[in-house]
Amino acid sequence: MSQKKPWTDLHSTVYEAVQTKQRKAWVIFYAWFCVCLLIAGAIVTKFHIMCAVFAVLVALAIITERTEAVTERGLETFIDVKLFNSEELWAWDEIDALTYETNPDVPDTTLLYFTKGTRTRKGFYKNEDVVMIKVLAKKKNKNINIYDGNEYRAEARAFNAEQDKYRKRRKK
C-alpha cells in the first residue's frame, strides 16, 4: 500500500524524477536471504542484539522507496518505508545552484544536481522536462546559479591532461 505523495494535490505541472536503476530480482532475494541469516544468527549466537538490529536495518533498506519531484514549491522528496513515510521540501529560495549534465549511459534523460548550502541532491529527469525546470528555477529564484556540468567536466579533463604532460616531463 503506497502512501499518497505530497505533490498529488497540486494543480500545476510536476516533474517527477525518472528511476534509472532498478534493483535486480536476485539482489532483493539475496538481501532477504541475508535478513533470514541475521535472524537465525540472533537466535543461535551470543550476538543477539547486533544481529537483530542489522536484520531490521537491512529489511528497512529493502522496502524503502524514494521519489523526488520538482514542483512550483521547489524540490520535494518523498520517502516511503511502508510502515511510515517522510517528506522534505527544498523551497526555491533555499536552492543555491542547479547543475545539469548529460549521461551517455541513459540517453533520454539529464542528470540534475540541486545544491542547498553544502548539501546536494541529484536526480534524472526527462530531457524535455529539464528545459521547463530551468525556466521554473529562474522564475522562482532570481539568484539561482545554473551551471552546465558538461563544460566543467571538459575543463577538468583538459586540466588533468595538461597536468599529466607536466608530470611526464618532470619524470624524465
Side-chain angles (χ1 to χ4, degrees):
M1 179 176 94
S2 181
Q3 300 289 331
K4 184 178 173 186
K5 295 179 181 164
W7 52 82
T8 54
D9 295 338
L10 290 178
H11 299 294
S12 61
T13 308
V14 175
Y15 306 104
E16 222 172 294
V18 178
Q19 297 295 329
T20 57
K21 292 184 180 178
Q22 298 294 329
R23 288 186 186 142
K24 295 180 174 85
W26 69 269
V27 172
I28 296 171
F29 176 78
Y30 180 71
W32 283 116
F33 177 74
C34 289
V35 168
C36 294
L37 282 178
L38 285 168
I39 291 171
I43 295 170
V44 175
T45 67
K46 65 180 181 178
F47 303 107
H48 306 298
I49 296 173
M50 190 175 0
C51 287
V53 168
F54 281 134
V56 168
L57 289 176
V58 172
L60 286 175
I62 297 168
I63 63 174
T64 299
E65 293 179 11
R66 180 185 180 129
T67 310
E68 289 186 346
V70 175
T71 64
E72 64 182 9
R73 297 185 291 208
L75 178 66
E76 299 190 36
T77 305
F78 179 72
I79 301 172
D80 185 15
V81 191
K82 308 296 185 232
L83 305 171
F84 57 89
N85 59 26
S86 172
E87 303 170 10
E88 187 177 3
L89 172 65
W90 284 9
W92 281 113
D93 56 348
E94 298 173 344
I95 297 174
D96 301 325
L98 175 65
T99 306
Y100 60 95
E101 178 180 3
T102 57
N103 187 351
D105 297 336
V106 189
D108 295 336
T109 60
T110 301
L111 182 58
L112 290 180
Y113 296 94
F114 296 87
T115 305
K116 172 185 168 184
T118 58
R119 295 177 61 196
T120 300
R121 290 255 170 91
K122 69 178 183 175
F124 284 95
Y125 294 87
K126 296 177 187 170
N127 287 338
E128 55 270 8
D129 292 345
V130 170
V131 176
M132 298 307 296
I133 291 172
K134 288 191 275 186
V135 169
L136 181 65
K138 271 298 187 191
K139 185 173 89 172
K140 294 290 184 176
N141 184 355
K142 302 288 184 204
N143 298 327
I144 195 167
N145 297 318
I146 299 178
Y147 300 107
D148 184 359
N150 296 322
E151 289 178 8
Y152 173 76
R153 288 207 189 266
E155 290 172 4
R157 281 189 206 105
F159 178 76
N160 288 338
E162 183 180 314
Q163 292 298 314
D164 288 343
K165 288 179 188 176
Y166 175 73
R167 283 187 215 121
K168 287 178 183 176
R169 274 190 265 140
R170 266 189 101 191
K171 284 183 180 179
K172 290 181 181 181

